[in-house]
Amino acid sequence: MGKALIIGAGGVASVVVHKCCQNSEVFEEICIASRTKSKCDALKEKLDGGKTKISTAKVDADNVDELIELINDFQPDIVINVALPYQDLTIMDACLATKTDYVDTANYEPEDTAKFEYKWQWAYRDKFKAAGITALLGSGFDPGVTGVFSAYAQKHYFDTIRQIDIVDANAGDHGYPFATNFNPEINIREVTAPGSYFENGKFIETEPMSIKRVYDLPEIGPKDIYLLHHEEMESLALNIKGIEKIRFWMTFSESYLTHLKVLENVGMTSIEPIEFEGKQIVPLQFLKAVLPDPASLGPRTKGKTNIGCIFQGMKDGKERTYYVYNVCDHQECYKEVGSQAISYTTGVPAMIGAMMVMTGKWKKPGVYNIEEFDPDPFMEALNKFGLPWHESFDPALID
């Protein structure tokens, strides 16, 4: 079918590479590129020899000219961005310059401000449309599959969706006193930022981690869930008709929150540069360097994740509730691709999103969020490529 350039070489990128190689009919050739080429080479060595041809390259994803040169050299049909969210715009600029389709898993955020908004990427809509290329934003799990779940619910089960509660639960145990399941810098910025929820046309801000509930999740049981701000609420508020309220919830253990509070209190989660021994350092980036690498957690992590959406609305004049979710086992993920479930649940949808664009099912000039396309082929692919989903038409609701 074609060629994909994968930018990034961390835990999520590793899953994307594995899954592209499992789907060689679509991904005939891939190039893995990052600032640290040795990581790309290690992935190539692990998977080389199959039907998918693999090459590697060194690239600075902050440098548009380097990206353009690499894209022109490799000539991919699509760029799969699984680098850092800070690099979304430079990679989009390179895709525009080379007229290459684009997909990512998380929205752009400035490196010096913990701010999650789509406005920077939505500003590219007219440019991508004029160039005749597609940008698919947020093709991870949340954002990503949660948007597909929402589009699927809207298409098949509701005339109007009034409320969406997104619940992201990780019941995995890696054995460390404190570690993050994905990039520590991004994870901690997300958790320590003010929370928010969407209600009646506006976002209402809350103090970080100030709203807590307990929810009994299939296969992992009752968990403490906390209200956070999350980027997919912004696009779902525009794209789901009749929506009145959207909330995003995530599980955290008391141990995690205690460690995080101490680190916050002593200034280690700050993104403001400080001078140390004559050099400027960012405390959060230093903390990232001393914490366990999320890519190393795979062999240690046991337990399951459960991520899904609870919907309330109307169908044929009657009230309806609907819950659709995926349960993923950390150890099963590690056996298959050498990564824990957090990387797996992001990497699989990134490959599927790229496949949707490459095969023409979601090919449309412009910049789009994932819920703006037909959800059915994506939902089918989730079952095929390792993220089967389950449904309930009588779920417990979150007050």
Side-chain angles (χ1 to χ4, degrees):
M1 171 69 71
K3 300 162 68 174
L5 171 61
I6 299 164
I7 300 179
V12 174
S14 175
V15 177
V16 174
V17 172
H18 276 82
K19 287 297 180 177
C20 286
C21 291
Q22 289 178 17
N23 192 5
S24 57
E25 289 183 5
V26 173
F27 299 95
E28 294 174 331
E29 189 173 345
I30 60 173
C31 176
I32 315 162
S34 90
R35 189 179 277 113
T36 310
K37 188 172 180 291
S38 59
K39 290 184 178 180
C40 306
D41 292 336
L43 281 170
K44 172 180 165 64
E45 186 177 350
K46 192 182 295 184
L47 286 161
D48 227 357
K51 291 183 178 180
T52 299
K53 182 181 176 182
I54 304 173
S55 59
T56 65
K58 177 181 174 63
V59 72
D60 179 356
D62 292 316
N63 188 313
V64 177
D65 290 336
E66 277 191 33
L67 290 163
I68 290 172
E69 184 179 354
L70 175 59
I71 293 170
N72 283 332
D73 181 54
F74 182 60
Q75 297 189 338
D77 299 288
I78 195 165
V79 171
I80 304 174
N81 171 14
V82 280
L84 293 172
Y86 320 139
Q87 297 160 332
D88 288 359
L89 301 189
T90 52
I91 297 172
M92 289 181 77
D93 284 335
C95 286
L96 261 177
T98 56
K99 295 190 175 180
T100 309
D101 292 330
Y102 168 91
V103 61
D104 66 29
T105 64
N107 70 357
Y108 171 76
E109 59 176 283
E111 193 166 3
D112 59 355
T113 310
K115 189 79 171 174
F116 308 98
E117 286 184 280
Y118 274 116
K119 68 178 183 182
W120 292 283
Q121 290 178 280
W122 285 346
Y124 282 70
R125 283 169 170 161
D126 291 342
K127 294 177 185 177
F128 268 70
K129 192 171 184 179
I133 55 176
T134 302
L136 177 63
L137 306 183
S139 190
F141 206 108
D142 47 350
V145 176
T146 51
V148 176
F149 283 169
S150 298
Y152 186 79
Q154 180 171 252
K155 178 178 179 179
H156 293 285
Y157 296 130
F158 290 91
D159 296 323
T160 303
I161 295 174
R162 183 175 63 254
Q163 179 168 333
I164 305 171
D165 279 293
I166 301 165
V167 184
D168 182 331
N170 177 21
D173 181 8
H174 45 58
Y176 286 116
F178 184 82
T180 63
N181 290 294
F182 59 96
N183 185 298
E185 192 176 348
I186 304 302
N187 178 267
I188 291 171
R189 282 167 63 121
E190 181 178 292
V191 173
T192 56
S196 78
Y197 60 95
F198 176 82
E199 188 167 29
N200 296 326
K202 62 182 180 180
F203 282 90
I204 299 167
E205 191 169 286
T206 65
E207 289 295 314
M209 312 299 282
S210 62
I211 298 177
K212 171 188 169 184
R213 300 287 188 271
V214 176
Y215 194 72
D216 193 351
L217 293 125
E219 297 192 42
I220 64 175
K223 297 293 174 187
D224 292 339
I225 58 173
Y226 294 83
L227 188 141
L228 300 182
H229 174 76
H230 226 242
E231 62 238 57
E232 67 260 49
M233 292 192 292
E234 189 181 7
S235 65
L236 291 173
L238 295 177
N239 295 322
I240 301 301
K241 58 188 178 185
I243 192 70
E244 297 174 7
K245 189 171 186 177
I246 312 172
R247 298 180 296 184
F248 181 93
W249 306 89
M250 187 174 279
T251 58
F252 297 97
S253 69
E254 285 299 320
S255 174
Y256 178 95
L257 294 177
T258 300
H259 278 84
L260 186 61
K261 193 64 182 176
V262 171
L263 291 168
E264 194 173 7
N265 287 343
V266 299
M268 286 304 299
T269 63
S270 172
I271 60 175
E272 295 296 325
I274 62 167
E275 187 169 317
F276 176 72
E277 295 186 347
K279 297 179 181 178
Q280 290 285 311
I281 67 166
V282 174
L284 181 55
Q285 292 177 355
F286 177 80
L287 177 61
K288 173 186 174 181
V290 298
L291 287 175
D293 181 352
S296 71
L297 300 179
R300 302 176 57 101
T301 307
K302 300 177 181 178
K304 297 178 180 181
T305 63
N306 180 316
I307 314 174
C309 300
I310 305 164
F311 301 94
Q312 301 176 56
M314 301 291 291
K315 178 68 174 177
D316 298 330
K318 297 179 180 178
E319 286 283 336
R320 166 168 277 184
T321 58
Y322 172 62
Y323 178 29
V324 56
Y325 61 93
N326 164 263
V327 174
C328 206
D329 187 291
H330 286 286
Q331 288 180 300
E332 291 301 316
C333 294
Y334 185 73
K335 286 177 188 174
E336 183 192 342
V337 300
S339 298
Q340 34 84 351
I342 305 301
S343 296
Y344 191 90
T345 54
T346 305
V348 173
M351 180 280 290
I352 295 173
M355 177 179 71
M356 293 293 107
V357 176
M358 285 179 68
T359 57
K361 291 183 174 68
W362 286 8
K363 175 67 177 163
K364 187 165 61 170
V367 175
Y368 299 95
N369 291 89
I370 201 164
E371 67 273 8
E372 295 182 78
F373 292 99
D374 178 13
D376 291 359
F378 198 106
M379 293 289 278
E380 291 171 13
L382 287 171
N383 286 329
K384 179 178 179 181
F385 289 103
L387 292 176
W389 41 276
H390 311 276
E391 298 175 299
S392 168
F393 291 90
D394 187 28
L397 301 179
I398 301 171
D399 61 23

